[in-house]
Amino acid sequence: MKKMVLLFLLFIWVGLASNSNLIKASLFSWIVELLERDNPYVQIYIDSKEYQDIPKYVKKYHFTRNCLDADLLFVDTIKDLPKECIYGHKVFVTKYIDFVQNRDKVVGAFFLQKGRPTLIFNKRLLKYFGIVLPPKYDKYID
Amino acid sequence: MRYVGLKKYLYFLILIFIMFLLTAFLYIKFDQVLQTTSDEFQNLKVHEIEHNALSISRILRFLVGDLSSSSGDILKILRKNDLLRHTIDTLLSAFINDENRYVYIVYEDKGHNFRYLADGSMDKKERGFFGQKFFPLQEKKWQKAFNLDRTTIFMQESIDNLWITMLAPLHIFKNIKSFLVIDLSTMAYKNVKSIFLKLKHFLKYLIIFFIAIFLLIATLYFFLYREYRRTFLDPLTGAYNREFLTQLEKNIDLQKYIVAMIDLDYFKLINDLYGHDVGDEMLKKIAKTIINTISYKDILIRYGGDEFLLLLQKDKKEDFKSFFDRLHRNINETALSLRDSSTLKTTSSIGINLMPNLEESLSDAIKKADMELYRAKNSGRNRFKFYETQDRKVGGYISFNKISQLVKEGNIELHFQPIYNFRTKQIDRYEALARLRDGDTLYLPHQFLIAIFQTNVYREFAKQVVRQAFEVIKKERVVISINFNKSDFLDEEYFKTIKELIERNKSYRQFLILELLENEELKIDDEKILDKIKYFQRIGCKIALDDFGSGYSNFNYFLTLEPDIIKLDGSLIRQLDTNPNAKKLIQSIVLFAKHIGIETIGECVEDEKTLQIMERLNIDGAQGYFIGKPMPYLQREPFEVFGRIDTDAA
């Protein structure tokens, strides 16, 4: 019975969640898996209007309000982020322009454009953090 | 059983059901219609997009064509030239509207990545930068489009608010493969779809409405049916009751029925000896027997305690004598098993009126049948008797069996009454009148026809009359008219017999006139009869209307029957000399008939003066004792009895 109720709630949840939110959530999980696959206690910081709903859909990670504690940071703009949170942290931005202009600070950009999810990894910072992505994801590296 | 008045509800119910089926069919097929419309709409939009793509590539060619060809690498040019990039973006943005949501150019780099070359999106968040990687969701389709280098269109299923994406190759930049991409929003499609969905909803409500109406009428029908049975059916026998008879009397067409009264002999004794329960059971059984013997078109009414009224449809294949033989036998054979294992039977007496249409009303017709029932009872019961008219009784009684025997032996004689033609002053046709000879006695039609009406004997009689008439026509080459009742042709067997005979005499049909008697009304809508009569006209026979100006005749016949000849009623002709109104009436009929090309013949001409007036009135022909009486031979000259007269003096 419990399973049935859960299944029912899942259907309701899937029904209510829009396509773009589900895409975002699944990609978000995918990014975390790629970058922090060896870290079972990954902490994530989100300061983004674009991604503020992610915690509702992704429950398996720990979300923190303190950027210093975070392993991964998702921010709309890097300007508002304290300097000590930038360096040594894997920062993701949600605008392509931020990615282009802060190639020495952000590890990648992740956003929806024209309804399509767009994910770009910064080659230099990936190397800096010693992250090696499987070859099939090469096309996402810029 | 006939549920008079209830049928309309049943028809309405059927109509609602058909409408429900139609609507349901439309509803089921609606998705298919929507799909077709959507496909058509898609084609329309695709055509529009292609047109846009063509316009954009032309302008682009104009903008960058020279630059691209001179230096060879558009990417380098664009990287350096902010103004050109901005111009292209602005150009693309001009094509963005509510339906064309995104318009942009994508190229494939050397690493087979897709990158933005230009983007018309005004929203910063949506705008792709020059050189930015582009990740399509349906990558394989994109790859295929780039590889084939041709226009490709595909539906977007996983992107919110996007309907179709179209890729059109731009063959204007050297060294790179670029495509103009237009993402079409779902708005336009949604608009079309919402109209259809509204229509579909309407159909759904219509179906519900029809179901509700259907149920409502079905319920109404059920209650009415129950009420009808309660009001008009006898609860004991299941036959109709007197109340039904009262209703029926108002709208019955007596021409279509014969009336019979059935009475069970000594039924009171059954009630007295065995009790009313047994009597009731017996009545039930007898009623069931009668209902099983008659057809559903016939009407059985419980007229009194043990008396039934039967209204029998005339259009039966079986002749009435055989039918009543069978009915009488079936009633007499009906047995009720009693508790002591014995069986109870009863006999019946039946009085039959074969021509109720000659009576003023159904009540009168029933009275005549009742009189005959009384006679049957007085003659010893357990028999059926046919009612004979007063005329027939005056002329002498002749039994059915006797008529049957005389007809079978071929004792039918044709007498011919001459018809005088005013124009040729000659006799140019004859009316054949049948007589039945029994030794020295000669019976006139009214003395035997009623008794055999609608029986096999009647058919045989008609057959012999027509056959004899054709024999005379063949021998003498004269025009002969034969009398028919209009209702004769209701009888399929009769019609078939006459039809076969006439068809067989192909070369002589034009000599035969079918003279329709005016003793019964022909309803204008009685198309069955009309069709049959007109059939004879079509194959070459002529149609004459007898006794026009009296009885049931009316001017409508001119239009419906389109007769070739009308025979003016004798009662009017006789008054020509004395009654100016009769003269005027005849004058009007003749004028009208002439106007539409119908020949006129006056009947019952008994004196010279009448003949002269008729000639002055421009009537075409005359018939009557003054011209010549019906004789067993063809009278060649007119006025044989009175001596030749000078008709020119008239």
Side-chain angles (χ1 to χ4, degrees):
Chain A
M1 186 64 191
K2 207 173 175 181
K3 276 183 183 174
M4 292 285 282
V5 172
L6 283 171
L7 201 66
F8 176 73
L9 287 173
L10 182 71
F11 276 122
I12 299 271
W13 179 79
V14 170
L16 291 175
S18 71
N19 248 350
S20 62
N21 278 337
L22 288 178
I23 292 169
K24 269 189 233 170
S26 58
L27 274 172
F28 179 86
S29 302
W30 183 64
I31 294 166
V32 179
E33 285 293 319
L34 275 176
L35 301 184
E36 297 289 337
R37 61 189 147 200
D38 300 328
N39 181 2
Y41 307 107
V42 61
Q43 298 235 28
I44 299 160
Y45 171 84
I46 294 177
D47 181 20
S48 160
K49 281 180 189 170
E50 189 83 11
Y51 299 108
Q52 63 186 3
D53 288 335
I54 292 287
K56 286 183 195 170
Y57 301 108
V58 182
K59 299 285 182 192
K60 60 180 178 180
Y61 304 118
H62 183 256
F63 293 91
T64 176
R65 287 176 184 276
N66 186 353
C67 62
L68 277 170
D69 298 339
D71 301 299
L72 269 173
L73 293 91
F74 288 83
V75 292
D76 276 344
T77 171
I78 202 161
K79 284 177 198 163
D80 303 333
L81 206 60
K83 273 186 184 171
E84 53 272 30
C85 290
I86 295 173
Y87 297 105
H89 292 85
K90 292 160 196 151
V91 180
F92 261 81
V93 288
T94 58
K95 287 192 188 75
Y96 184 73
I97 191 75
D98 273 353
F99 174 77
V100 175
Q101 289 170 355
N102 300 287
R103 277 187 177 268
D104 54 336
K105 296 170 191 150
V106 299
V107 74
F110 169 46
F111 50 89
L112 278 183
Q113 200 171 54
K114 297 184 174 64
R116 299 165 175 94
T118 305
L119 176 66
I120 305 163
F121 291 108
N122 186 344
K123 195 175 178 180
R124 205 168 67 181
L125 283 204
L126 281 180
K127 200 176 173 184
Y128 171 78
F129 286 111
I131 300 165
V132 180
L133 295 180
K136 61 178 175 181
Y137 301 126
D138 282 355
K139 63 176 177 180
Y140 297 106
I141 300 167
D142 201 22
Chain B
M1 284 292 159
R2 339 167 101 236
Y3 296 101
V4 181
L6 280 185
K7 266 187 182 172
K8 59 185 170 200
Y9 291 97
L10 202 62
Y11 293 148
F12 196 53
L13 213 57
I14 294 166
L15 184 75
I16 293 284
F17 186 66
I18 291 168
M19 284 168 81
F20 162 75
L21 285 181
L22 278 174
T23 319
F25 175 75
L26 275 179
Y27 184 79
I28 292 163
K29 286 279 173 189
F30 206 84
D31 285 339
Q32 209 174 320
V33 175
L34 181 64
Q35 187 56 49
T36 313
T37 315
S38 151
D39 290 348
E40 284 301 315
F41 183 71
Q42 187 181 325
N43 289 341
L44 197 75
K45 291 313 293 179
V46 164
H47 182 72
E48 191 184 311
I49 297 170
E50 280 172 344
H51 180 75
N52 285 346
L54 196 68
S55 307
I56 290 170
S57 55
R58 275 180 191 157
I59 301 169
L60 278 176
R61 188 169 282 123
F62 174 75
L63 279 174
V64 301
D66 292 341
L67 290 169
S68 175
S69 58
S70 58
S71 60
D73 190 347
I74 185 68
L75 297 177
K76 277 182 188 169
I77 297 164
L78 286 172
R79 200 167 287 133
K80 289 174 189 167
N81 193 339
D82 286 349
L83 184 64
L84 183 60
R85 282 206 315 265
H86 182 70
T87 309
I88 296 173
D89 285 349
T90 310
L91 163 70
L92 296 181
S93 71
F95 288 87
I96 290 177
N97 52 38
D98 286 345
E99 291 177 8
N100 299 337
R101 194 156 182 195
Y102 306 119
V103 181
Y104 49 103
I105 298 170
V106 171
Y107 70 94
E108 195 180 27
D109 66 11
K110 284 171 188 168
H112 301 293
N113 295 308
F114 299 116
R115 290 178 188 272
Y116 283 102
L117 192 138
D119 191 349
S121 304
M122 302 304 284
D123 183 353
K124 279 183 183 173
K125 227 174 93 183
E126 299 291 359
R127 192 194 300 162
F129 289 84
F130 172 72
Q132 179 190 326
K133 274 191 176 175
F134 174 77
F135 300 100
L137 283 182
Q138 293 150 305
E139 200 176 342
K140 280 182 184 169
K141 287 181 183 171
W142 280 67
Q143 283 294 355
K144 198 176 170 187
F146 269 75
N147 290 341
L148 295 172
D149 199 26
R150 69 175 183 211
T151 303
T152 308
I153 291 151
F154 47 86
M155 306 290 288
Q156 288 293 357
E157 280 144 13
S158 51
I159 302 178
D160 288 344
N161 301 322
L162 286 193
W163 177 35
I164 295 170
T165 293
M166 194 198 82
L167 283 79
L170 295 170
H171 299 117
I172 49 174
F173 306 124
K174 281 184 179 174
N175 306 323
I176 60 160
K177 220 179 238 182
S178 60
F179 272 70
L180 172 75
V181 186
I182 299 179
D183 284 329
L184 211 68
S185 90
T186 48
M187 187 177 279
Y189 176 64
K190 271 181 184 165
N191 285 343
V192 174
K193 201 173 172 180
S194 75
I195 293 167
F196 275 92
L197 286 179
K198 273 177 195 164
L199 202 61
K200 197 177 176 185
H201 277 303
F202 173 73
L203 283 178
K204 192 166 73 185
Y205 291 128
L206 207 60
I207 288 171
I208 295 167
F209 171 75
F210 282 137
I211 291 171
I213 292 283
F214 185 85
L215 290 176
L216 197 75
I217 294 169
T219 315
L220 186 71
Y221 181 80
F222 170 73
F223 285 116
L224 279 173
Y225 173 79
R226 214 169 58 171
E227 194 56 34
Y228 186 91
R229 286 187 71 90
R230 206 176 287 159
T231 314
F232 294 122
L233 292 188
D234 173 46
L236 178 69
T237 58
Y240 290 109
N241 57 20
R242 291 291 287 265
E243 186 60 38
F244 179 80
L245 182 63
T246 314
Q247 296 295 320
L248 189 69
E249 205 158 11
K250 294 171 192 165
N251 50 25
I252 191 170
D253 181 1
L254 286 173
Q255 207 169 278
K256 290 183 177 167
Y257 293 94
I258 70 157
V259 176
M261 292 295 291
I262 305 165
D263 190 74
L264 304 181
D265 297 333
Y266 303 113
F267 192 76
K268 191 175 175 297
L269 278 178
I270 294 177
N271 276 333
D272 292 346
L273 288 172
Y274 298 96
H276 283 275
D277 289 348
V278 174
D280 286 351
E281 279 305 309
M282 193 67 199
L283 268 179
K284 265 163 85 172
K285 274 222 146 193
I286 299 282
K288 200 175 171 188
T289 302
I290 300 173
I291 289 169
N292 289 340
T293 309
I294 62 179
S295 82
Y296 76 99
K297 287 180 181 171
D298 304 325
I299 302 167
L300 181 70
I301 297 166
R302 191 178 173 196
Y303 198 69
D306 60 334
E307 207 173 11
F308 291 95
L309 166 67
L310 179 60
L311 294 161
L312 209 63
Q313 282 263 356
K314 277 183 180 171
D315 58 349
K316 291 197 185 310
K317 285 187 177 171
E318 186 182 12
D319 71 67
F320 290 125
K321 186 175 179 302
S322 317
F323 172 80
F324 281 105
D325 260 337
R326 191 159 58 87
L327 179 68
H328 187 247
R329 197 171 54 245
N330 287 352
I331 294 172
N332 290 2
E333 282 171 3
T334 303
L336 179 72
S337 303
L338 299 174
R339 281 180 190 167
D340 60 359
S341 305
S342 61
T343 53
L344 182 65
K345 285 185 178 180
T346 182
T347 58
S348 63
S349 303
I350 307 172
I352 303 148
N353 181 358
L354 284 174
M355 301 286 277
N357 52 320
L358 295 181
E359 308 301 333
E360 288 285 314
S361 65
L362 178 61
S363 307
D364 289 346
I366 293 170
K367 271 179 206 158
K368 299 284 159 54
D370 214 20
M371 275 165 56
E372 216 54 45
L373 174 68
Y374 183 73
R375 281 185 54 207
K377 281 186 174 287
N378 279 350
S379 314
R381 301 173 196 263
N382 191 21
R383 68 196 61 210
F384 59 89
K385 275 189 173 290
F386 291 99
Y387 170 72
E388 293 142 22
T389 62
Q390 279 306 111
D391 285 352
R392 193 181 149 196
K393 283 174 189 166
V394 171
Y397 178 78
I398 179 166
S399 71
F400 179 86
N401 289 341
K402 186 74 188 168
I403 302 166
S404 175
Q405 184 202 332
L406 290 173
V407 170
K408 273 178 195 160
E409 287 170 1
N411 289 312
I412 298 167
E413 270 184 32
L414 286 192
H415 286 213
F416 303 93
Q417 187 169 29
I419 297 168
Y420 176 73
N421 186 320
F422 281 112
R423 193 172 51 81
T424 60
K425 313 285 183 204
Q426 293 293 321
I427 285 167
D428 71 344
R429 68 189 72 170
Y430 299 86
E431 179 176 344
L433 299 156
R435 309 285 186 255
L436 213 52
R437 181 168 289 283
D438 182 16
D440 292 336
T441 316
L442 206 60
Y443 290 103
L444 298 176
H446 66 264
Q447 290 175 288
F448 58 85
L449 277 185
I450 288 173
I452 59 166
F453 187 64
Q454 296 266 346
T455 64
N456 277 337
V457 181
Y458 186 72
R459 288 175 203 126
E460 179 56 32
F461 166 80
K463 194 172 162 183
Q464 286 193 36
V465 168
V466 176
R467 193 186 292 144
Q468 280 192 37
F470 270 119
E471 277 167 17
V472 176
I473 289 170
K474 277 181 200 170
K475 199 175 161 193
E476 304 290 343
R477 300 288 166 133
V478 287
V479 176
I480 290 179
S481 67
I482 303 173
N483 293 326
F484 291 92
N485 285 305
K486 295 181 200 93
S487 59
D488 288 345
F489 299 113
L490 267 177
D491 178 356
E492 279 296 332
E493 281 297 309
Y494 182 94
F495 172 70
K496 216 170 135 187
T497 310
I498 303 301
K499 187 173 161 248
E500 276 171 15
L501 262 172
I502 294 177
E503 281 174 350
R504 210 180 299 154
N505 290 284
K506 198 178 172 184
S507 319
Y508 304 99
R509 287 175 199 162
Q510 72 271 26
F511 292 99
L512 186 71
I513 300 171
L514 278 75
E515 193 167 325
L516 303 170
L517 298 172
E518 267 308 311
N519 56 1
E520 54 194 7
E521 185 182 12
L522 176 64
K523 290 187 176 170
I524 302 303
D525 57 355
D526 212 339
E527 287 186 5
K528 247 185 180 178
I529 299 179
L530 275 173
D531 283 350
K532 286 170 181 168
I533 293 171
K534 282 194 168 279
Y535 170 76
F536 292 123
Q537 204 173 23
R538 273 202 307 280
I539 62 168
C541 301
K542 285 188 173 174
I543 301 295
L545 267 181
D546 198 21
D547 296 335
F548 196 86
S550 73
Y552 294 106
S553 61
N554 61 56
F555 278 82
N556 255 336
Y557 280 176
F558 282 144
L559 308 171
T560 52
L561 265 176
E562 294 171 325
D564 304 285
I565 303 153
I566 55 165
K567 293 182 92 171
L568 302 163
D569 183 47
S571 62
L572 289 173
I573 298 290
R574 279 194 201 101
Q575 294 177 62
L576 269 181
D577 188 25
T578 53
N579 187 345
N581 287 336
K583 196 174 168 183
K584 279 176 194 165
L585 181 59
I586 294 273
Q587 209 164 9
S588 317
I589 295 171
V590 171
L591 197 70
F592 187 71
K594 291 264 174 214
H595 191 66
I596 57 172
I598 295 173
E599 211 178 321
T600 49
I601 292 168
E603 290 183 307
C604 299
V605 182
E606 286 162 3
D607 55 64
E608 191 179 349
K609 195 168 185 187
T610 308
L611 190 77
Q612 287 168 350
I613 298 170
M614 281 169 68
E615 190 169 20
R616 277 202 298 274
L617 289 177
N618 211 13
I619 296 170
D620 298 302
Q623 178 184 355
Y625 279 16
F626 185 68
I627 317 290
K629 288 181 178 179
M631 301 301 270
Y633 56 86
L634 297 175
Q635 180 189 322
R636 298 294 183 181
E637 292 299 321
F639 324 114
E640 273 184 355
V641 181
F642 302 95
R644 183 167 277 282
I645 58 160
D646 182 9
T647 49
D648 291 334

mmCIF file of all heavy atoms in Angstrom, chain B residues 265 328 332 347-350 376-377 380-384:
data_model
loop_
_atom_site.group_PDB
_atom_site.id
_atom_site.type_symbol
_atom_site.label_atom_id
_atom_site.label_comp_id
_atom_site.label_asym_id
_atom_site.label_seq_id
_atom_site.Cartn_x
_atom_site.Cartn_y
_atom_site.Cartn_z
ATOM 1 N N ASP B 265 -70.265 -19.952 -30.364
ATOM 2 C CA ASP B 265 -71.619 -20.532 -30.219
ATOM 3 C C ASP B 265 -71.826 -21.105 -28.815
ATOM 4 O O ASP B 265 -70.954 -21.812 -28.291
ATOM 5 C CB ASP B 265 -71.805 -21.656 -31.259
ATOM 6 C CG ASP B 265 -71.723 -21.108 -32.682
ATOM 7 O OD1 ASP B 265 -72.047 -19.907 -32.867
ATOM 8 O OD2 ASP B 265 -71.299 -21.858 -33.588
ATOM 9 N N HIS B 328 -62.183 -20.278 -39.208
ATOM 10 C CA HIS B 328 -63.312 -21.002 -38.604
ATOM 11 C C HIS B 328 -62.858 -22.367 -38.089
ATOM 12 O O HIS B 328 -63.176 -22.777 -36.970
ATOM 13 C CB HIS B 328 -64.421 -21.146 -39.666
ATOM 14 C CG HIS B 328 -65.685 -21.713 -39.153
ATOM 15 N ND1 HIS B 328 -66.158 -22.934 -39.530
ATOM 16 C CD2 HIS B 328 -66.583 -21.241 -38.236
ATOM 17 C CE1 HIS B 328 -67.281 -23.190 -38.897
ATOM 18 N NE2 HIS B 328 -67.568 -22.161 -38.109
ATOM 19 N N ASN B 332 -62.617 -23.688 -34.203
ATOM 20 C CA ASN B 332 -63.320 -24.921 -33.805
ATOM 21 C C ASN B 332 -62.377 -25.983 -33.258
ATOM 22 O O ASN B 332 -62.777 -26.829 -32.457
ATOM 23 C CB ASN B 332 -64.092 -25.491 -35.005
ATOM 24 C CG ASN B 332 -65.285 -24.618 -35.364
ATOM 25 O OD1 ASN B 332 -65.493 -23.571 -34.728
ATOM 26 N ND2 ASN B 332 -66.065 -25.016 -36.340
ATOM 27 N N THR B 347 -67.678 -24.032 -31.030
ATOM 28 C CA THR B 347 -67.777 -23.666 -32.453
ATOM 29 C C THR B 347 -67.997 -22.155 -32.547
ATOM 30 O O THR B 347 -68.224 -21.502 -31.534
ATOM 31 C CB THR B 347 -68.933 -24.409 -33.144
ATOM 32 O OG1 THR B 347 -70.128 -24.082 -32.447
ATOM 33 C CG2 THR B 347 -68.694 -25.897 -33.154
ATOM 34 N N SER B 348 -67.934 -21.654 -33.770
ATOM 35 C CA SER B 348 -68.112 -20.212 -33.919
ATOM 36 C C SER B 348 -68.960 -19.883 -35.142
ATOM 37 O O SER B 348 -69.028 -20.669 -36.092
ATOM 38 C CB SER B 348 -66.748 -19.547 -34.065
ATOM 39 O OG SER B 348 -66.127 -20.020 -35.230
ATOM 40 N N SER B 349 -69.600 -18.721 -35.063
ATOM 41 C CA SER B 349 -70.341 -18.190 -36.211
ATOM 42 C C SER B 349 -69.708 -16.864 -36.587
ATOM 43 O O SER B 349 -69.342 -16.090 -35.704
ATOM 44 C CB SER B 349 -71.809 -17.963 -35.850
ATOM 45 O OG SER B 349 -72.358 -19.174 -35.396
ATOM 46 N N ILE B 350 -69.583 -16.663 -37.894
ATOM 47 C CA ILE B 350 -68.902 -15.434 -38.348
ATOM 48 C C ILE B 350 -69.751 -14.738 -39.408
ATOM 49 O O ILE B 350 -70.219 -15.375 -40.351
ATOM 50 C CB ILE B 350 -67.498 -15.766 -38.938
ATOM 51 C CG1 ILE B 350 -66.676 -16.584 -37.933
ATOM 52 C CG2 ILE B 350 -66.749 -14.493 -39.309
ATOM 53 C CD1 ILE B 350 -65.355 -17.115 -38.481
ATOM 54 N N ALA B 376 -76.115 -16.111 -39.798
ATOM 55 C CA ALA B 376 -75.343 -17.357 -39.647
ATOM 56 C C ALA B 376 -75.847 -18.138 -38.433
ATOM 57 O O ALA B 376 -75.973 -19.368 -38.476
ATOM 58 C CB ALA B 376 -73.868 -17.023 -39.481
ATOM 59 N N LYS B 377 -76.158 -17.402 -37.384
ATOM 60 C CA LYS B 377 -76.649 -18.072 -36.171
ATOM 61 C C LYS B 377 -78.030 -18.675 -36.419
ATOM 62 O O LYS B 377 -78.317 -19.788 -35.994
ATOM 63 C CB LYS B 377 -76.693 -17.071 -35.014
ATOM 64 C CG LYS B 377 -75.315 -16.837 -34.385
ATOM 65 C CD LYS B 377 -75.428 -15.957 -33.163
ATOM 66 C CE LYS B 377 -74.096 -15.845 -32.451
ATOM 67 N NZ LYS B 377 -73.715 -17.044 -31.753
ATOM 68 N N GLY B 380 -78.323 -22.032 -38.157
ATOM 69 C CA GLY B 380 -77.856 -23.235 -37.456
ATOM 70 C C GLY B 380 -76.482 -23.091 -36.830
ATOM 71 O O GLY B 380 -75.884 -24.064 -36.387
ATOM 72 N N ARG B 381 -75.924 -21.898 -36.791
ATOM 73 C CA ARG B 381 -74.601 -21.598 -36.197
ATOM 74 C C ARG B 381 -73.477 -22.398 -36.861
ATOM 75 O O ARG B 381 -73.694 -23.089 -37.826
ATOM 76 C CB ARG B 381 -74.600 -21.855 -34.673
ATOM 77 C CG ARG B 381 -75.634 -21.030 -33.943
ATOM 78 C CD ARG B 381 -75.722 -21.415 -32.474
ATOM 79 N NE ARG B 381 -76.972 -20.893 -31.900
ATOM 80 C CZ ARG B 381 -77.046 -19.758 -31.223
ATOM 81 N NH1 ARG B 381 -75.979 -19.030 -31.019
ATOM 82 N NH2 ARG B 381 -78.202 -19.347 -30.765
ATOM 83 N N ASN B 382 -72.275 -22.253 -36.263
ATOM 84 C CA ASN B 382 -71.064 -22.947 -36.726
ATOM 85 C C ASN B 382 -70.842 -22.777 -38.231
ATOM 86 O O ASN B 382 -70.688 -23.741 -38.970
ATOM 87 C CB ASN B 382 -71.144 -24.439 -36.352
ATOM 88 C CG ASN B 382 -69.806 -25.127 -36.564
ATOM 89 O OD1 ASN B 382 -68.770 -24.460 -36.604
ATOM 90 N ND2 ASN B 382 -69.825 -26.434 -36.701
ATOM 91 N N ARG B 383 -70.853 -21.540 -38.686
ATOM 92 C CA ARG B 383 -70.644 -21.255 -40.114
ATOM 93 C C ARG B 383 -70.263 -19.786 -40.293
ATOM 94 O O ARG B 383 -70.391 -19.011 -39.342
ATOM 95 C CB ARG B 383 -71.889 -21.577 -40.925
ATOM 96 C CG ARG B 383 -73.079 -20.681 -40.655
ATOM 97 C CD ARG B 383 -74.360 -21.265 -41.184
ATOM 98 N NE ARG B 383 -74.654 -22.548 -40.553
ATOM 99 C CZ ARG B 383 -75.316 -23.522 -41.154
ATOM 100 N NH1 ARG B 383 -75.758 -23.365 -42.385
ATOM 101 N NH2 ARG B 383 -75.566 -24.667 -40.525
ATOM 102 N N PHE B 384 -69.814 -19.446 -41.468
ATOM 103 C CA PHE B 384 -69.595 -18.029 -41.742
ATOM 104 C C PHE B 384 -70.374 -17.606 -42.975
ATOM 105 O O PHE B 384 -70.598 -18.392 -43.881
ATOM 106 C CB PHE B 384 -68.102 -17.688 -41.876
ATOM 107 C CG PHE B 384 -67.368 -18.426 -42.955
ATOM 108 C CD1 PHE B 384 -67.304 -17.910 -44.240
ATOM 109 C CD2 PHE B 384 -66.713 -19.620 -42.681
ATOM 110 C CE1 PHE B 384 -66.618 -18.577 -45.233
ATOM 111 C CE2 PHE B 384 -66.026 -20.288 -43.670
ATOM 112 C CZ PHE B 384 -65.978 -19.773 -44.953
#
